[in-house]
Amino acid sequence: MKNILVPIGASQNAKNTLQYAIDFAQVMQADVYVFRSFSLAPKAGTIINVDSIVAREQVANVKEVVGQVDTKNVTVKIISAKGGVVDSIETINKELGIDLIIVGQRPNDLQESYFLGRTPGSIVKKTDIPVLVIPEGYVYKPITKILTAIKSGVVSKQNSLVPLQKIIKTFDTEMHLLQVKTKAFSTEDSEINVELKALATSYNSTENATLFQGVLEHLNTHNPDVICVFRRKRGFFKKLWEQNTIKKVDFESRVPLLVLKGAE
């Protein structure tokens, strides 16, 4: 894991998210790239160099946030990108190769009724890069336990387990694998990917109406430092990916959420 991307918005929690990313990167021996995208609506009479002016302002804002954190000798680089966040991430990924995105729950101070804001929700929904979502006010601590929740044991996306493998190896993490059997559970779902199974310290199954209900039911039992899930075209959190903004009533967590791409 070499390059970690941290999109930050205008919320007061931006500093907290960046500090977590730096603390995490220090252990992973990775570089941190911080960016805030900007876009301008066409407007008659705008001055020619308005893009460069806005870009400088965005960089200045990001520098201010960076100046408030302890970089701990981690290489922290600032990027300014014009356009939407997801498009900017795709461009940055092509140029640098991003291994992980770390983002806050609500980088733009949305109402407290929302678990996940529009920007991180869009990133999770539309990018294939692994995403680690950090709850508001969450303070970094070593990842000693991970709760990985699956319905289907099929993992067909190449290299999708790499971030999980690296975290487990680096932190010497215990991973509990929870398989939630819903009404749509099939024989194919019961076949767990060999590499995923090899990562598990323990395994159990449960029956619930939805996968995220199974997660909530077992959250206190396992008390993980991170919850890991797979984004699929069907299955886990399907209804949550239909919109970019996810409400707390649909899902709430007190710990970081690692989202991996599970299937084509």
Side-chain angles (χ1 to χ4, degrees):
M1 190 173 293
K2 296 181 180 179
N3 298 324
I4 295 174
L5 185 66
V6 186
I8 61 172
S11 78
Q12 295 180 354
N13 201 49
K15 182 177 74 171
N16 183 79
T17 301
L18 179 55
Q19 188 63 67
Y20 182 98
I22 290 171
D23 293 343
F24 179 84
Q26 182 184 37
V27 180
M28 301 300 294
Q29 298 183 342
D31 294 338
V32 172
Y33 291 84
V34 192
F35 93 103
R36 182 182 296 177
S37 65
F38 69 94
S39 58
L40 299 171
K43 196 173 183 179
T46 53
I47 57 178
I48 295 174
N49 64 340
V50 67
D51 281 359
S52 61
I53 292 173
V54 174
R56 286 199 301 270
E57 290 178 349
Q58 296 288 20
V59 169
N61 291 336
V62 174
K63 282 184 176 178
E64 183 179 353
V65 176
V66 173
Q68 297 174 4
V69 301
D70 181 359
T71 58
K72 298 185 175 182
N73 294 320
V74 172
T75 299
V76 179
K77 299 179 182 180
I78 297 173
I79 300 174
S80 178
K82 181 183 176 182
V85 174
V86 174
D87 290 339
S88 297
I89 288 173
E90 290 180 357
T91 300
I92 294 169
N93 185 40
K94 287 178 182 178
E95 293 182 5
L96 300 175
I98 300 301
D99 300 298
L100 179 69
I101 298 171
I102 295 181
V103 65
Q105 282 178 288
R106 298 188 294 276
N108 293 308
D109 284 333
L110 284 180
Q111 302 172 11
E112 289 189 1
S113 59
Y114 291 99
F115 164 73
L116 199 61
R118 188 173 303 279
T119 298
S122 180
I123 293 170
V124 167
K125 178 182 176 182
K126 297 178 181 179
T127 181
D128 287 344
I129 303 171
V131 181
L132 184 62
V133 182
I134 309 301
E136 282 191 279
Y138 188 85
V139 178
Y140 169 85
K141 65 177 181 177
I143 301 171
T144 60
K145 290 188 288 185
I146 294 178
L147 174 62
T148 298
I150 60 171
K151 187 189 81 169
S152 173
V154 177
V155 181
S156 59
K157 183 70 175 179
Q158 187 177 12
N159 298 325
S160 61
L161 291 174
V162 170
L164 187 60
Q165 291 169 332
K166 289 184 176 179
I167 290 173
I168 290 174
K169 181 178 180 180
T170 302
F171 289 92
D172 193 22
T173 306
E174 294 181 1
M175 190 197 82
H176 180 78
L177 185 61
L178 174 68
Q179 187 164 38
V180 181
K181 299 179 179 180
T182 66
K183 288 184 178 180
F185 191 79
S186 67
T187 303
E188 181 184 2
D189 293 331
S190 64
E191 296 295 326
I192 299 175
N193 176 276
V194 174
E195 291 183 334
L196 177 61
K197 193 172 184 179
L199 293 174
T201 306
S202 60
Y203 164 88
N204 76 301
S205 63
T206 182
E207 294 183 6
N208 293 89
T210 63
L211 192 53
F212 70 84
Q213 285 182 10
V215 171
L216 296 180
E217 182 180 302
H218 289 79
L219 189 58
N220 291 331
T221 301
H222 296 289
N223 194 27
D225 299 310
V226 167
I227 297 171
C228 178
V229 298
F230 292 88
R231 195 204 75 189
R232 302 176 186 270
K233 289 186 177 180
R234 62 182 181 86
F236 185 62
F237 289 163
K238 180 179 179 181
K239 74 171 185 175
L240 300 185
W241 306 145
E242 291 173 357
Q243 295 182 343
N244 292 339
T245 305
I246 300 174
K247 292 185 176 181
K248 282 186 176 182
V249 70
D250 294 318
F251 180 72
E252 177 66 287
S253 173
R254 301 181 296 274
V255 299
L257 177 69
L258 176 62
V259 184
L260 306 177
K261 181 69 180 294
E264 298 290 353

